[in-house]
């Protein structure tokens, strides 16, 4: 039995994520920017380790995929799988209140989460909205956190951006009490559990249509999709949504109901039922 959560383990697109920073000339998004040593490491992973790993996966008789995106990627590799919707430990719904102008980000502070892009969009939005604020929850390397702090300072928005560090579940509940809209700008997401957590509290989400995000984000219902190539457009999108209090209230209500289908209890029951069927058939 093999449980597959996301594509990190077998898709060529994410192999560079396990490369060393020193093996890149610029950044990890483009393999053409690898150093000579990095290129050799990439070839080793891509053409030696990956085929061996895929050969092992193909020997597994029962594969579970927790997102349609993962199931599709497995199918491209010739690996059949059974899909069960991902399970998320949902948070309590926050107190109903009039929508404000607080934005939030939750996740690891790494480049491929698109935090630089979110900050650029926020800086643009802040020019036309004096009340807008941004809370960033998560931790990263010292160098990247320093870079982000320097960036908000250089953009003149340091007094409107708060880095709140790592949050436990109690901290997340408090976080979402003050956040009106969650922003995600990841280049890759197998599923995006953070988004579903936000929805369960009644917080709409703006996120790109990548990976498994489309399995829980319904444009115009519990949030909306965003582009990852125009920070100014995202800034305008943020301002327009925050200014539409009626839509924010409607999306907040729809967010809670849309998250329930990913409740962890239902998820565990489905897995148990699947395993029982396998045992009966043996």
């Amino acid at each position: 039995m093999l449980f597959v959560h996301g594509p990190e383990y077998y898709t060529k697109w994410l192999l560079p994520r396990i490369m060393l920073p020193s093996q890149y000339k610029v950044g990890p998004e483009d393999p053409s920017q690898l150093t000579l040593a990095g290129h050799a490491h990439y070839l080793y992973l891509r053409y030696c380790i990956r085929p061996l790993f895929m050969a092992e996966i193909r020997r597994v008789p029962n594969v579970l995929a927790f997102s349609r995106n993962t199931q599709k990627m497995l199918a491209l590799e010739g690996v059949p799988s059974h899909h069960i919707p991902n399970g998320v430990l949902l948070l309590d719904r926050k107190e109903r209140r009039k929508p404000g102008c607080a934005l939030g980000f939750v996740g690891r502070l790494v480049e491929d989460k698109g935090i630089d892009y979110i900050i650029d969009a926020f800086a643009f939005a802040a020019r036309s909205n004096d009340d807008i604020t941004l809370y960033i929850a998560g931790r990263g390397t010292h160098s990247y956190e320093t870079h982000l702090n320097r960036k908000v300072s250089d953009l003149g928005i340091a007094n409107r951006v708060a880095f709140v560090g790592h949050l436990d579940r109690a901290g997340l509940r408090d976080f979402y009490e003050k956040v009106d809209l969650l922003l995600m700008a990841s280049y890759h997401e197998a599923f995006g559990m953070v988004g579903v957590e936000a929805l369960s509290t009644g917080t709409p989400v703006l996120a790109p249509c990548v990976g498994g995000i489309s399995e829980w984000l319904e444009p115009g219902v519990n949030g909306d999709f965003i582009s990852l190539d125009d920070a100014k457009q995202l800034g305008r999108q943020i301002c327009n949504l925050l200014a539409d209090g009626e839509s924010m209230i409607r999306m907040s209500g729809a967010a809670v109901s849309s998250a329930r289908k990913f409740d962890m209890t239902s998820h565990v029951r489905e897995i148990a039922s699947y395993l029982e069927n396998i045992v009966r058939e043996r």
Side-chain angles (χ1 to χ4, degrees):
M1 167 63 67
L2 175 69
F3 295 84
V4 181
H5 173 267
E8 293 90 338
Y9 304 112
Y10 59 87
T11 59
K12 61 183 178 182
W13 295 279
L14 291 187
L15 274 174
R17 295 294 178 264
I18 58 176
M19 305 288 284
L20 299 174
S22 61
Q23 294 176 330
Y24 290 98
K25 297 175 184 175
V26 181
E29 280 69 41
D30 184 1
S32 68
Q33 296 299 312
L34 290 170
T35 63
L36 184 60
H39 190 67
H41 189 194
Y42 176 81
L43 291 176
Y44 167 71
L45 292 170
R46 178 69 178 86
Y47 296 104
C48 294
I49 298 301
R50 183 174 179 274
L52 290 172
F53 188 76
M54 288 309 306
E56 288 300 309
I57 287 182
R58 293 188 183 98
R59 293 173 57 188
V60 178
N62 301 291
V63 178
L64 265 180
F66 292 152
S67 76
R68 292 289 185 192
N69 175 64
T70 299
Q71 187 178 43
K72 182 176 72 173
M73 300 304 294
L74 283 167
L76 291 174
E77 300 288 353
V79 179
S81 62
H82 178 77
H83 171 249
I84 290 179
N86 208 350
V88 180
L89 289 172
L90 304 180
L91 297 167
D92 296 331
R93 178 170 185 163
K94 59 189 174 186
E95 293 294 324
R96 295 176 185 269
R97 59 176 173 78
K98 183 179 179 180
C101 295
L103 308 175
F105 167 88
V106 179
R108 292 178 296 114
L109 303 189
V110 293
E111 280 189 52
D112 62 336
K113 292 294 183 182
I115 308 165
D116 281 272
Y117 184 70
I118 287 174
I119 291 173
D120 287 336
F122 173 79
F124 182 80
R127 297 176 191 172
S128 56
N129 187 326
D130 294 332
D131 299 319
I132 196 171
T133 54
L134 173 63
Y135 296 92
I136 298 176
R139 299 306 301 266
T141 63
H142 176 72
S143 61
Y144 191 59
E145 289 188 13
T146 300
H147 157 74
L148 293 176
N149 277 278
R150 185 181 301 116
K151 182 182 183 77
V152 299
S153 179
D154 292 343
L155 289 171
I157 54 174
N159 62 329
R160 299 169 72 174
V161 178
F163 292 91
V164 300
H166 173 75
L167 300 177
D168 58 17
R169 286 187 65 78
L172 279 175
R173 283 193 290 271
D174 294 337
F175 178 85
Y176 283 117
E177 281 293 337
K178 59 188 175 185
V179 167
D180 301 285
L181 188 64
L182 183 77
L183 302 179
M184 298 175 65
S186 305
Y187 299 112
H188 308 279
E189 281 290 354
F191 181 74
M193 294 177 66
V194 165
V196 178
E197 285 180 343
L199 294 179
S200 70
T201 69
T203 305
V205 179
L206 292 182
C209 186
V210 299
I213 289 178
S214 62
E215 296 174 37
W216 51 262
L217 182 56
E218 304 173 62
V221 177
N222 57 8
D224 214 341
F225 289 132
I226 65 170
S227 166
L228 290 179
D229 59 7
D230 190 339
K232 290 183 178 180
Q233 173 56 34
L234 175 55
R236 286 189 286 268
Q237 189 175 358
I238 290 169
C239 288
N240 291 339
L241 185 53
L242 291 178
D244 188 350
E246 189 174 307
S247 291
M248 286 290 291
I249 292 173
R250 174 176 50 79
M251 286 183 177
S252 178
V256 175
S257 58
S258 67
R260 290 185 186 132
K261 68 182 75 171
F262 301 103
D263 175 67
M264 184 61 76
T265 301
S266 300
H267 176 69
V268 171
R269 285 174 180 163
E270 285 197 57
I271 292 177
S273 176
Y274 177 70
L275 295 177
E276 287 171 358
N277 288 335
I278 291 175
V279 172
R280 280 196 295 268
E281 292 171 0
R282 293 186 63 178

